[in-house]
Amino acid sequence: MVYVFFKCTLKNGHVNKVCDIYRLQDGQLAEHWDIIEHNVEDVQSRNGNDLF
């Protein structure tokens, strides 16, 4: 499994948190999933750590 996380800042200033998940099998891509969390610039974590 390969997980890739990145921060995407849109032209309007909103920030999205994106995760792509890949499952490899026999050295080839077998499956892909993606997750997008929209407008995270105003999200405050409970433990005080940054989202990124």
Side-chain angles (χ1 to χ4, degrees):
M1 301 288 285
V2 177
Y3 292 78
V4 180
F5 293 91
F6 60 96
K7 176 181 179 180
C8 179
T9 304
L10 306 176
K11 287 183 182 181
N12 62 7
H14 289 294
V15 178
N16 292 342
K17 184 169 60 172
V18 181
C19 176
D20 281 300
I21 305 168
Y22 302 93
R23 184 176 68 82
L24 305 175
Q25 183 174 348
D26 299 324
Q28 296 184 347
L29 178 63
E31 292 185 83
H32 169 260
W33 302 271
D34 55 39
I35 303 162
I36 302 173
E37 189 173 355
H38 298 280
N39 305 330
V40 298
E41 64 273 3
D42 296 327
V43 175
Q44 298 294 320
S45 67
R46 290 184 180 189
N47 64 7
N49 292 336
D50 188 24
L51 291 176
F52 299 97

